[in-house]
Amino acid sequence: MTATGAGEPRAADELDLDWLISVDDHVLEPPHVWQDRVPAARRDEAPRLITDDRGEAWVYDGKRQPTVGLSAAAGKRKEEFTTEPVTYAEMRPGCYDPRARIEDMDRAGILASLSFPSFPRFCGQVFHEAKDKELALLCVRAYNDWMIDEWCGSAPGRYIPLVLFPLWDPALAVAEIERCAAKGARAIAFSENPEPLGLPSIHHPSRYWEPVLAAAAEAELVVCMHVGSSSTLPAITSDSPPLANMAWGAVRTAGTMMSWLFSGWFQRLPTLKVALSEGGVGWIPYFLERAEQVVDKQRYWASRGESFTGYGTEHARTDNNLDGLDVRQLFRDHVYGCFIEDVHGMDSLERIGVDNVMVETDYPHTDSTWPDCIELARGQVSDLPREVQYKLLRGNAERLFRFTPAEPPSRR
């Protein structure tokens, strides 16, 4: 997984547009992940997959968690999608087997893939919530070793290693980030909003996250924040239909982007990069424009350290230097979005920035374009210059994650 040559420009006629790199997929952990790696004395307490009179489920920390069908939908027709529990025997093997996944990737034109966890949830919330933090740390380390050594190690150059860290202890988090970076990790999973998890926000005056973010920046690990990693769902009203809330979900990612742009972290850590996973990109131009308007009109009173009380809440002053703040440049230097199907985003690409957008396939979830990934992706970018198509399909991902993929295999 050497970074040499990653994302380097090539002549237009040399660019291979038959393959993409997906920066947001998902893995359903096979049953042996923790049972093979947690010390024997704690193995009975570690996550394990059981079958009982209620069916198949993961058991850990006194809780029982079945796998929802929406998480393992690859190969199924839309009419077959379900929120009901499914077993591993009912899943496509590519959901949990790295070699079977490669076969599915080859079929769909996916040259390389970055996968978020499933049982631990998108940034390891399951382990953060566990009562026994000593065991939880062992489980985080076991997951990371499995992800780097077994999942990614099974096919060098085909998988980008994304790792977890102990959210509950910044010092332990730094140690785990440094350990995994030495093993070849390229990204860490972070929460889109830590506050609902009972953790300090990225704006907290204690700067709780400073050691973590500094370690990620030092190791050049991308901070990836998947939609839903706050363990919350957006709700328009208390009784709005689920599909309405799902369609509205991009506002959550927009809030994450705005929070980071005004946080001051990018000024304090100039090498820090964040990726907004599964949030789409079509909304970005509006929110960047709105952020510029706010800076232009509101920066004077905000810079004087005045607090703002309105709309039933009190807003603390910012410690950000708003004089000369270039929101758009801050975005271009630090923030990356990704898309599955986003025609409006492609139409607005010039206002977003061709270097800040990457493609994803969301395998094996219900939003996935598998098995038609490369065909659908190329259809969305076909009107763009060849060099830009290459950036969106794979070049930006290679550069951001310092990743050189394997040579493309023959399409199956």
Side-chain angles (χ1 to χ4, degrees), residues 58-72:
W58 286 96
V59 175
Y60 170 65
D61 193 44
K63 300 172 185 175
R64 186 182 187 278
Q65 181 61 55
T67 301
V68 176
L70 298 181
S71 298

Side-chain angles (χ1 to χ4, degrees), residues 24-36:
D24 171 38
D25 292 317
H26 301 269
V27 60
L28 286 96
E29 298 80 16
H32 68 269
V33 170
W34 292 280
Q35 292 302 304
D36 284 359

Side-chain angles (χ1 to χ4, degrees), residues 202-213:
I202 61 170
H203 311 290
H204 198 274
S206 68
R207 294 195 179 172
Y208 175 91
W209 297 109
E210 185 159 21
V212 174
L213 299 178

